[in-house]
Amino acid sequence: MKEEKRVNALKKTIELCALHGFHGTSMDKITAATGLSKATIYKYFQSKENLIANALELFSQQSLSHVQALFENTELTLEEKIALRFEGLAGCIDIESFNGCYFQLAYSEYSSEDQGITEVSAQYKQRTQVLLIELFKRHNIKDAELKAKKAGLVYNGLLASLQLTKDAELIELAHQMFLGIIFKSE
């Protein structure tokens, strides 16, 4: 499989899983969206679960790269970086396929069924936490690790809530809570 077709298959898989859920996305839907036969997909990905794990890994790399670039942007203040991250969520809730965090969804659907999907999902959450700790340390936030854990809980809780309600008001509320955790002296 040429790299372009492989990447297209991975991207289409994430799009379909976002719309229909991971279990709700059949191989027939994937083959129809990609134009690839089941035989071709199974030749390169062995199983639907392997395809999903690879798709999540690609999405993880892209997402983490974006977050890292934002967090390392020296032209922005800490407050601006955080504001942009929350504004990004505000732009997502109007997208039909937005259903919260894809990694949380994948983990909840496959935690007892597929180790590969579980590992990719858990690693994404760990990596985002590390980026948050590094951001706080770079900006000389006292108790960076503890505050990053608390702020991460707020952000992940927001993602879970938006999955259910898509209530834009929650974004600003969570944003203020996030800032309160960072700048509160303990």
Side-chain angles (χ1 to χ4, degrees):
M1 181 184 298
K2 290 184 179 177
E3 186 62 17
E4 183 179 311
K5 287 183 179 182
R6 181 183 169 284
V7 169
N8 181 52
L10 297 174
K11 288 180 178 181
K12 291 291 184 188
T13 298
I14 284 293
E15 289 173 20
L16 291 168
C17 290
L19 277 170
H20 307 289
F22 291 89
H23 283 306
T25 300
S26 67
M27 286 303 288
D28 289 335
K29 287 178 184 172
I30 293 170
T31 58
T34 62
L36 300 172
S37 69
K38 282 184 188 179
T40 300
I41 291 175
Y42 283 127
K43 178 179 177 184
Y44 292 97
F45 296 107
Q46 295 84 41
S47 67
K48 176 184 167 186
E49 290 76 17
N50 183 262
L51 172 61
I52 290 171
N54 277 270
L56 285 168
E57 184 60 39
L58 176 65
F59 187 73
S60 171
Q61 291 168 3
Q62 292 171 341
S63 178
L64 290 168
S65 176
H66 175 74
V67 171
Q68 185 170 7
L70 172 64
F71 285 0
E72 291 178 357
N73 185 333
T74 57
E75 295 178 12
L76 299 173
T77 66
L78 176 59
E79 292 87 346
E80 290 170 329
K81 293 172 186 180
I82 293 165
L84 286 170
R85 187 121 193 261
F86 280 92
E87 287 171 19
L89 275 181
C92 289
I93 63 172
D94 293 329
I95 299 171
E96 178 186 356
S97 63
F98 179 77
N99 285 308
C101 178
Y102 301 143
F103 299 97
Q104 286 175 204
L105 292 170
Y107 187 89
S108 68
E109 288 191 39
Y110 280 101
S111 64
S112 62
E113 295 176 36
D114 188 84
Q115 189 65 31
I117 293 171
T118 302
E119 286 178 15
V120 170
S121 300
Q123 286 173 2
Y124 174 79
K125 290 297 184 177
Q126 291 166 352
R127 290 176 187 152
T128 56
Q129 192 65 31
V130 167
L131 289 175
L132 197 57
I133 291 167
E134 291 171 354
L135 172 69
F136 289 2
K137 286 182 177 180
R138 196 175 304 117
H139 286 275
N140 300 312
I141 300 299
K142 186 180 176 202
D143 300 320
E145 289 189 30
L146 177 61
K147 288 181 178 181
K149 281 183 182 181
K150 290 178 179 181
L153 286 171
V154 168
Y155 194 83
N156 287 320
L158 173 62
L159 286 170
S161 296
L162 291 175
Q163 178 185 355
L164 299 173
T165 67
K166 293 191 179 188
D167 181 353
E169 291 179 15
L170 295 177
I171 296 171
E172 186 53 33
L173 178 62
H175 181 196
Q176 293 309 312
M177 291 170 66
F178 196 98
L179 291 173
I181 289 167
I182 297 170
F183 297 111
K184 179 182 176 187
S185 59
E186 294 182 23

